[in-house]
Amino acid sequence: PVTLLLINNLLVLTVATKETDGFRRFLKSAKHFNYTIKVLGQGQKWKGGDYVTAPGGGQKVRLLKTALEEMKKQDKIILFIESYDVVFASGPKELLKKFQQTRHKVVFSSESLIWPDRHMEDKHPHVREGNRFLGSGGFIGYLPNIREMVADWKGKDNDSDQLFFTKIYIDPVKRKSINITLDSTCRMFQNLHGALDEVVLKFENGRVRARNLLFDTLPVIIHGNGPTKLQINYLGNYIPNTWTFENGCTAVDFSIENYYKCFFEYPMVLIGIFIQQPTPFVTVFFERLLKLQYPKNRLKLLIFNQEVHHERHVSSFLHDHGNLYQNVKFIRPEEGMDGPASRNLGFDMCRKDKDCEYFFSIDIEVVLKEENTLKILIEQNLPIVAPMITRVGRLWSNFWGALSSDGYYARSEDYVDIVQGRRVGVWNVPYVSSVYLVKGSLLRSELTDSELFNSHILDPDMAYCHSVRNKGIFMYVTNMHTFGRILSTENYQTDHLHNDLWQIFENPEVRKCLLCIVIMTMISLSIDVSPCPDVYWFPVFSDVACDHLVEEMEHFGQWSGGRNKDSRIQGGYENVPTVDIHMNQINFEKNWHKFLLEYIAPITEKMYPGYYTKAQFDLAFIVRYKPDEQPSLRPHHDASTFTINIALNQLGPDYQGGGCRFLRYDCSIKAPRKGWALMHPGRLTHYHEGLPTTAGVRYIAVSFVDP
């Protein structure tokens, strides 16, 4: 049995010349299981070479040899492992039990691939089951035996530690004298290189383990050796208990409120806003920026705009609100700066500003709905962290779960669950874009390259993430809140005055800016929904939508003149003409049909039971009534099954008079509310007239709808 004395005698030795994100993850997992850790080489310069792609690591053996020589207690059990790419999956008791069961004094991790000298393959002893080759990234043994093993080390710091230990292992005399064996079935050590297809996550009783399917074992230590850093990052999202089905994600032990109490003010954040293509709802972006729950005197802005089309949007925001922020730098299209240069500039501005504690990068197509996003991200206390955003109805998001062999997108096993919110937590990922927070201290220490976003091959974001990964810096994405969405910009046109009107179905997440969403809710309204027999009214458009439709038509300007001859309609003759512009004249008929189908058809079916419509229409148009042009409309039937009539401006401020009278019922609606739709049958029963507009200008949107 594993006694407490045996556990207390276990000492974990690792070499870490500097603290990295991987090292901090290692320590966190060790602390979780109460391992005793001693770190060798702290603060020293690494001279062991890049032994990921070439042999090296001798410095570790030298440091280990020195540390062992200083130890007095002979009954110590030493676990020597890597730390930058290692996590513990279980505790000392299980590790020591498995070690004892080997009946050897020193046990090395094993690999299926031989490194660094394949010519030694035949010299390795055969094993009854499992991997034949030694892995130097982890071994456990008694102090005297390990001390004997490294006693003859006289190599250089950049010599191969793996080769040194391999030569000892394949020497029958030394192997027997030191009493070495391999953990050939990965009961203690799991090296991922060459074994990725064998290792899966095992969720059980609130714990997460890595399971080796080939040998049906549960390794205690998981090592992302060689080119498997992304895989250990993925496994580290779960192991040991970072995320479980029972408890979800573990809590973050950092609070911006505590930060504020300690330092008397919130961290200074430089927000970089990047506009690189025509984008819908830019005014909405800036409205949401203003609503961020963060002191504006602790925010600085860098706004990079590459699009002349958005110049007025940015200028309007800065004119009205720019003085709220501590500092603003605005880069205009005429300055000729490209996207990568602007992002490099943003990082450099934060680097050079000693007060800049965070850089918050956000692209203009991001719809940030969570007003506390900045606080939430800072509270994660992570080097680089992104709020997960998605595109409506698609699996697109601003992170990648994995990389392909050539460094491009690949879908991880848990990607869909994370995007769809079935797994909620903070996830170590290989790529983030669109919106993310970077620590200023990271830019001034590890990420000092002034051209991080430059590449002849990769997109700017890919180049940046590639550099970050190569530095061993972790990037995270959190889906612990619903942060927002990202807009589709593919079909955005800039030919109109108010181009956002054409986007309410392309980008449904922001249509609420223009539409009052009231399907089936008018029954609960406190007003009379039926002002005349079989006539119903209900809100559909916001004031902004009404104003934009009117301004769009006036900008187009080709009003019909209200004559009977009308080449726009079939037959060329209009019996009851109005001064109007048809929706198809501004290429808005498809959007208008979607609006009728999605918002009006369900209400029609509710108000007129048994009647179902596909909301087809021959005529949909905006009408203008003016006292000196066409103030009213004579009694008539509409050429429709039912008609929708939407008031686009307001009685009083905009015009006097107006309204609609249904003659059969002698019922008038003289003050239609702005943005409200009046719905009534068109033929046979609802003979009606347009009452005179006596002052100002009145606008209505009319649709003659047939099945």
Side-chain angles (χ1 to χ4, degrees):
V2 177
T3 64
L4 184 60
L5 177 62
L6 207 57
I7 293 174
N8 290 338
N9 282 340
L10 177 64
L11 176 63
V12 180
L13 296 181
T14 190
V15 173
T17 54
K18 65 176 182 178
E19 283 199 14
T20 65
D21 292 332
F23 177 69
R24 284 184 279 271
R25 175 183 59 194
F26 165 79
L27 289 183
K28 186 177 179 181
S29 71
K31 182 180 178 182
H32 180 81
F33 292 113
N34 294 316
Y35 282 96
T36 302
I37 306 290
K38 182 175 181 179
V39 182
L40 309 179
Q42 282 181 303
Q44 298 183 20
K45 184 178 180 180
W46 176 252
K47 301 176 182 178
D50 176 22
Y51 59 94
V52 174
T53 55
Q59 186 175 354
K60 293 186 295 182
V61 187
R62 174 173 63 81
L63 291 170
L64 172 62
K65 179 181 177 181
T66 302
L68 295 178
E69 288 171 351
E70 295 171 357
M71 292 184 187
K72 306 301 181 187
K73 291 185 67 175
Q74 299 301 309
D75 55 353
K76 281 283 185 188
I77 299 175
I78 303 297
L79 170 64
F80 188 68
I81 49 171
E82 304 279 3
S83 54
Y84 292 163
D85 47 14
V86 164
V87 291
F88 286 102
S90 188
K93 185 175 180 180
E94 180 179 336
L95 177 67
L96 290 169
K97 180 180 179 181
K98 290 179 175 178
F99 171 54
Q100 285 181 315
Q101 289 172 346
T102 67
R103 301 183 184 280
H104 283 74
K105 300 295 185 181
V106 177
V107 181
F108 272 86
S109 69
S110 68
E111 299 187 36
S112 61
L113 305 172
I114 186 168
W115 167 267
D117 187 350
R118 60 184 180 84
H119 297 103
M120 292 184 173
E121 180 175 350
D122 293 340
K123 297 180 181 179
H124 280 72
H126 288 277
V127 295
R128 190 164 48 189
E129 180 188 13
N131 302 323
R132 281 181 64 198
F133 307 116
L134 175 143
S136 64
F139 54 86
I140 186 172
Y142 293 99
L143 174 58
N145 303 76
I146 295 179
R147 186 184 283 159
E148 178 187 347
M149 185 171 66
V150 299
D152 293 335
W153 170 261
K154 296 180 178 64
K156 300 175 183 177
D157 280 354
N158 62 352
D159 284 349
S160 172
D161 61 333
Q162 178 108 342
L163 187 60
F164 172 72
F165 290 123
T166 298
K167 286 180 176 179
I168 294 173
Y169 174 65
I170 63 175
D171 183 325
V173 176
K174 290 183 178 179
R175 184 170 68 246
K176 183 175 180 181
S177 170
I178 300 169
N179 198 357
I180 304 174
T181 191
L182 299 187
D183 178 32
S184 57
T185 58
C186 304
R187 299 183 72 233
M188 287 179 280
F189 303 96
Q190 177 66 66
N191 291 310
L192 294 179
H193 188 32
L196 290 177
D197 294 338
E198 301 167 15
V199 180
V200 297
L201 289 168
K202 174 181 171 64
F203 297 89
E204 187 177 81
N205 300 326
R207 291 184 61 185
V208 188
R209 299 289 297 264
R211 181 184 177 193
N212 186 301
L213 295 174
L214 184 62
F215 307 124
D216 194 21
T217 53
L218 298 175
V220 176
I221 296 157
I222 316 300
H223 180 201
N225 59 321
T228 63
K229 309 308 176 194
L230 297 183
Q231 286 77 11
I232 189 65
N233 290 351
Y234 168 77
L235 295 174
N237 282 327
Y238 297 92
I239 299 169
N241 277 47
T242 312
W243 188 94
T244 65
F245 281 108
E246 291 82 0
N247 303 313
C249 184
T250 54
V252 176
D253 55 358
F254 177 85
S255 167
I256 193 174
E257 303 299 338
N258 290 336
Y259 186 106
Y260 175 76
K261 290 173 185 175
C262 292
F263 297 97
F264 309 111
E265 57 187 3
Y266 281 81
M268 179 67 72
V269 181
L270 172 58
I271 301 180
I273 298 163
F274 300 94
I275 307 173
Q276 293 187 249
Q277 67 277 319
T279 304
F281 303 106
V282 168
T283 53
V284 176
F285 173 92
F286 284 113
E287 287 170 10
R288 294 191 185 279
L289 181 68
L290 282 170
K291 291 179 181 178
L292 267 183
Q293 295 300 300
Y294 202 89
K296 290 181 175 51
N297 65 345
R298 302 299 295 164
L299 295 176
K300 298 179 182 180
L301 299 184
L302 164 66
I303 303 177
F304 168 73
N305 178 30
Q306 212 171 12
E307 288 295 329
V308 175
H309 171 69
H310 292 309
E311 193 80 351
R312 60 192 174 98
H313 300 128
V314 181
S315 297
S316 175
F317 165 74
L318 291 179
H319 177 270
D320 295 339
H321 308 290
N323 61 348
L324 297 175
Y325 298 89
Q326 189 179 112
N327 187 46
V328 177
K329 181 175 178 61
F330 180 24
I331 301 172
R332 292 176 167 84
E334 58 267 24
E335 297 184 41
M337 184 178 286
D338 64 14
S342 70
R343 295 178 189 273
N344 287 328
L345 173 66
F347 275 12
D348 212 39
M349 285 175 62
C350 186
R351 274 190 203 102
K352 294 176 179 178
D353 181 355
K354 60 181 177 59
D355 295 327
C356 179
E357 296 176 71
Y358 292 92
F359 184 83
F360 184 48
S361 178
I362 181 167
D363 294 351
I364 198 71
E365 58 266 31
V366 172
V367 181
L368 211 55
K369 297 171 66 178
E370 173 53 71
E371 295 178 3
N372 289 300
T373 294
L374 204 45
K375 288 183 180 180
I376 292 166
L377 296 182
I378 291 173
E379 285 173 355
Q380 302 306 312
N381 196 24
L382 294 168
I384 300 172
V385 59
M388 188 189 77
I389 53 171
T390 58
R391 187 165 288 165
V392 177
R394 295 175 60 184
L395 286 173
W396 190 97
S397 73
N398 64 323
F399 78 96
W400 295 352
L403 293 181
S404 63
S405 58
D406 54 359
Y408 288 84
Y409 170 84
R411 181 175 291 182
S412 61
E413 177 271 332
D414 56 358
Y415 178 81
V416 174
D417 281 348
I418 292 172
V419 170
Q420 295 183 342
R422 289 192 291 271
R423 297 188 187 184
V424 176
V426 182
W427 312 95
N428 187 331
V429 296
Y431 171 92
V432 295
S433 66
S434 302
V435 53
Y436 50 85
L437 186 76
V438 183
K439 280 189 174 181
S441 58
L442 187 68
L443 296 174
R444 288 185 281 271
S445 57
E446 298 293 311
L447 296 179
T448 55
D449 184 353
S450 61
E451 297 187 345
L452 281 170
F453 291 90
N454 291 70
S455 172
H456 298 297
I457 305 169
L458 303 173
D459 290 341
D461 279 329
M462 291 177 64
Y464 157 66
C465 292
H466 178 76
S467 297
V468 170
R469 292 194 304 269
N470 282 353
K471 292 276 188 179
I473 299 165
F474 291 170
M475 292 172 280
Y476 295 86
V477 67
T478 171
N479 65 340
M480 295 187 75
H481 299 77
T482 302
F483 291 100
R485 301 290 188 185
I486 191 161
L487 299 176
S488 169
T489 61
E490 287 87 350
N491 299 315
Y492 185 64
Q493 303 296 321
T494 59
D495 306 333
H496 306 282
L497 178 65
H498 293 296
N499 300 284
D500 292 351
L501 286 170
W502 279 257
Q503 290 288 311
I504 58 177
F505 294 100
E506 184 82 17
N507 284 294
E509 190 65 21
V510 285
R511 73 174 62 159
K512 295 175 186 176
C513 306
L514 299 178
L515 301 179
C516 300
I517 310 301
V518 294
I519 301 302
M520 303 305 181
T521 62
M522 68 277 193
I523 303 301
S524 63
L525 296 175
S526 58
I527 52 91
D528 183 2
V529 298
S530 182
C532 296
D534 281 325
V535 177
Y536 303 96
W537 63 354
F538 45 88
V540 288
F541 284 168
S542 67
D543 284 356
V544 172
C546 293
D547 295 343
H548 283 191
L549 275 170
V550 170
E551 291 166 9
E552 192 65 49
M553 292 303 183
E554 289 291 2
H555 177 72
F556 182 72
Q558 298 180 27
W559 296 96
S560 64
R563 293 178 291 273
N564 292 104
K565 288 186 177 181
D566 193 339
S567 60
R568 299 171 302 168
I569 62 176
Q570 190 174 4
Y573 185 85
E574 173 57 71
N575 188 40
V576 187
T578 54
V579 175
D580 56 43
I581 296 174
H582 290 183
M583 294 298 184
N584 60 13
Q585 288 180 262
I586 62 168
N587 298 317
F588 200 59
E589 69 276 15
K590 290 182 180 178
N591 299 75
W592 195 255
H593 178 248
K594 286 184 180 179
F595 158 69
L596 294 175
L597 192 63
E598 189 165 331
Y599 290 93
I600 303 303
I603 296 176
T604 306
E605 294 163 10
K606 186 75 173 179
M607 296 299 97
Y608 304 118
Y611 176 76
Y612 302 97
T613 179
K614 293 181 180 178
Q616 302 294 331
F617 60 86
D618 288 327
L619 287 176
F621 47 93
I622 305 291
V623 178
R624 182 173 75 182
Y625 290 115
K626 295 171 67 174
D628 59 350
E629 187 178 66
Q630 182 184 18
S632 61
L633 197 61
R634 65 179 175 83
H636 63 283
H637 283 295
D638 290 338
S640 68
T641 302
F642 69 91
T643 295
I644 298 296
N645 180 326
I646 304 171
L648 296 179
N649 56 351
Q650 191 173 346
L651 177 67
D654 302 321
Y655 65 89
Q656 298 294 325
C660 181
R661 175 172 175 258
F662 294 94
L663 280 69
R664 177 173 180 156
Y665 308 105
D666 192 23
C667 181
S668 298
I669 302 170
K670 295 185 177 180
R673 295 169 173 85
K674 182 179 181 179
W676 283 53
L678 197 68
M679 182 170 69
H680 61 83
R683 300 183 180 91
L684 195 61
T685 56
H686 282 63
Y687 194 58
H688 61 285
E689 62 180 334
L691 300 174
T693 297
T694 57
V697 185
R698 180 186 176 217
Y699 298 91
I700 58 174
V702 180
S703 303
F704 294 163
V705 186
D706 281 308

